[in-house]
Amino acid sequence: MTELLNPLRSLNKGHWFKLICGASFQHLPAVRSLAIAYTLAGADCIDVAADPAVVAVAYQGLQIAAQIGVEAQRRGFAYSGNLPFLMVSLNDGEDPHFRKAEFDPEQCPPDCHRPCEKVCPAQAIEFAGITNNFSGVIPDKCYGCGRCLPICPYGRIYTSNYVITPGAIAPLILSSGVDAIEIHTQVGRLSEFQRLWQAILPWVGNLKLVAISCPDGAGMIAYLRALYEVISEAIAAHNIALVWQTDGRSMSGDIGDGTTLAAVKLGQKVLTANLPGYVQLAGGTNSYTVAKLRSLGLLAHDKCQPPHISGVAYGSYARVLLSPVLDKLETREVSHTSVKTTVRLEDEPELLWQAVELAHSLVSQLKSQQGVD
Ligand code: SF4
Ligand code: SF4
C-alpha cells in the first residue's frame, strides 16, 4: 500500500484538523496570517474561498510557515514538516456560506444605536469616524453569518448571494498548492450537484481529496448516497479521499459551547449510515467539540469500534480565537506609518508565536491525545 500523505494519515487515524477561513472571507492579510499560524500549530487542511487572490495568499502563508517550521517544532508545536492541504470551497446553489451582507448607511436613521456593528463577529461593519471615512459592510471581511440581519431594528440589511461559475473552476483547481475541493450542497439539489461535478470532472485528477458539505434535512442520507453514486467512479479512479462534512449549525461556533451539539448530532447520524469515506464535523464546532466527542466515545482513540469521527473543521471559533493577535497586527499597520502598509505576521515574532500558541490550544485538543505522526 502506498504511504499516505500526512494529512490523509490524520484522517485515517481520526485526528484531522481543518481550519475554515470562510467560503466568503476574503480579507487577504487575515487569511495569510491564519494560514501561517494554523499550519505551524499542526493543521491538516486550510479551507479558503474560491477566489484566486485568497488562494494565492493562503498558499503564500503555507510557504512562509514551511520556512519557519523548524523553529515551530523546536518550540514544541505540532507542525509535522508536511504542509496541510489547501482546499477551495465551491457551491452548487444558494448557500449562506456564499453571501455578503449589505446596507446603505445613508438610509440608517441617525439615532440608531448601531447594533449591527456590535453583533458582527468579523468587524465587517464600520461607521465613519476620526480615523476612517467608510460606513457600511466591508465586503472582504463579511463571511455571510447573517447575525446582523435580524438585529437591525429597521430591516435595512440584506444579502447578496453568489454561485461559482463553471468557467471559474479550472483556474482554481489548477492554482498553485490546491489539493482539495469542498462542495457545499443541500438536500434536493442533485441535478445542480451533477452540473457542478461535470465542470470539475476534467480536473479531478489534480485533487487528493474531495469533501462534501451538507446541512441536515429530510432525506439527507438518501441524498448523500445519491451524491456518492455521482462521484464514486472518478474518485476511485484517481484514488481521491472522500470526506463528508456534517454542517451542524453553520458559522456559529463562536457563539457558545452549545452550538457544537448540532454538529455532533449530525456527525453521529451520518456515521451511522456507514457511507464510504470519512466523516468530519463542522458548523458550530468550538473548544467543547472534542470533549463532547470523547464523552460519547466517537473519537478513534477512545477505542470505539469503527466507524468513528475522522476529524473536525473549525471556522468562526478558530478565527475569533486569533482575533486579539490579528487585531494588534492591523493596529500596527495603521500606527507604523501614515501610509498604510501591510505588516506581515512573520515580521512580528511576538505576535507570530502568540498566534501559533492560540491556534495550538485548539489543534492540540485533537492531536495531543493520540500523539502526532
Ligand atoms: S454579522 Fe455576519 S453577515 Fe453581517 S456583516 Fe458581519 S460577517 Fe457579514
Ligand atoms: S442597525 Fe440597521 S439602521 Fe442601525 S446602523 Fe445598522 S444597518 Fe443601519
Side-chain angles (χ1 to χ4, degrees):
M1 187 181 154
T2 39
E3 204 186 329
L4 290 172
L5 287 165
N6 243 48
L8 294 180
R9 215 157 54 209
S10 299
L11 265 179
N12 232 13
K13 288 183 171 283
H15 56 77
W16 158 271
F17 180 104
K18 183 173 91 165
L19 167 71
I20 303 173
C21 286
S24 295
F25 190 59
Q26 292 162 298
H27 187 47
L28 302 182
V31 170
R32 188 178 183 280
S33 298
L34 287 164
I36 294 173
Y38 276 97
T39 297
L40 293 174
D44 296 295
C45 183
I46 310 287
D47 179 3
V48 300
D51 170 348
V54 174
V55 172
V57 292
Y59 182 61
Q60 218 178 72
L62 302 194
Q63 301 303 310
I64 297 295
Q67 289 166 24
I68 313 169
V70 173
E71 175 59 15
Q73 287 169 335
R74 196 188 65 73
R75 289 172 181 249
F77 295 116
Y79 175 65
S80 65
N82 290 68
L83 288 179
F85 285 171
L86 185 53
M87 174 183 277
V88 175
S89 274
L90 312 172
N91 60 335
D92 64 4
E94 213 168 277
D95 187 297
H97 296 91
F98 297 80
R99 66 179 180 178
K100 300 278 188 190
E102 291 175 27
F103 66 89
D104 178 359
E106 299 283 316
Q107 303 297 318
C108 298
D111 60 347
C112 179
H113 58 288
R114 300 173 179 170
C116 57
E117 187 182 20
K118 293 181 195 79
V119 81
C120 177
Q123 288 91 47
I125 297 180
E126 277 191 5
F127 292 91
I130 300 163
T131 54
N132 73 326
N133 54 13
F134 174 83
S135 291
V137 178
I138 304 165
D140 286 357
K141 288 189 174 180
C142 173
Y143 66 92
C145 74
R147 287 177 221 172
C148 56
L149 304 176
I151 214 159
C152 174
Y154 303 97
R156 294 284 195 273
I157 309 179
Y158 54 96
T159 54
S160 299
N161 295 274
Y162 54 92
V163 180
I164 190 86
T165 59
I169 287 169
L172 284 166
I173 292 181
L174 300 176
S175 299
S176 295
V178 170
D179 311 282
I181 56 165
E182 178 160 278
I183 303 173
H184 287 251
T185 188
Q186 287 173 23
V187 178
R189 286 216 296 243
L190 187 57
S191 54
E192 291 90 335
F193 181 93
Q194 280 171 316
R195 261 200 303 277
L196 178 60
W197 186 251
Q198 284 308 312
I200 293 167
L201 211 44
W203 321 104
V204 82
N206 293 66
L207 299 170
K208 300 183 182 83
L209 184 147
V210 169
I212 294 178
S213 181
C214 190
D216 203 0
M220 182 203 197
I221 299 301
Y223 180 63
L224 298 186
R225 286 194 200 288
L227 299 185
Y228 182 72
E229 289 305 311
V230 175
I231 64 172
S232 56
E233 194 181 324
I235 62 168
H238 296 284
N239 200 19
I240 297 169
L242 171 63
V243 171
W244 301 105
Q245 175 167 288
T246 58
D247 190 13
R249 185 175 157 191
S250 294
M251 299 180 280
S252 67
D254 59 311
I255 293 174
D257 287 355
T259 60
T260 210
L261 299 178
V264 172
K265 198 169 157 215
L266 188 54
Q268 280 176 300
K269 176 174 169 176
V270 175
L271 212 51
T272 310
N274 224 359
L275 295 161
Y278 301 99
V279 178
Q280 171 235 280
L281 303 191
T285 50
N286 50 37
S287 62
Y288 183 55
T289 307
V290 168
K292 186 68 191 168
L293 287 172
R294 277 193 69 74
S295 74
L296 295 169
L298 290 171
L299 288 176
H301 53 272
D302 296 326
K303 299 189 176 64
C304 68
Q305 293 301 309
H308 51 75
I309 296 292
S310 297
V312 182
Y314 299 86
S316 49
Y317 183 84
R319 298 195 298 273
V320 168
L321 184 64
L322 260 62
S323 61
V325 176
L326 302 190
D327 290 350
K328 278 190 205 158
L329 203 62
E330 277 205 39
T331 314
R332 288 191 192 180
E333 284 180 13
V334 178
S335 57
H336 268 342
T337 163
S338 56
V339 180
K340 194 169 176 181
T341 52
T342 303
V343 178
R344 304 178 313 173
L345 185 60
E346 67 272 27
D347 295 335
E348 300 284 338
E350 193 191 325
L351 293 183
L352 168 68
W353 296 113
Q354 271 176 28
V356 181
E357 188 68 56
L358 286 168
H360 176 76
S361 69
L362 189 57
V363 178
S364 62
Q365 292 183 5
L366 263 174
K367 299 284 181 190
S368 63
Q369 295 171 68
Q370 292 188 314
V372 177
D373 53 4

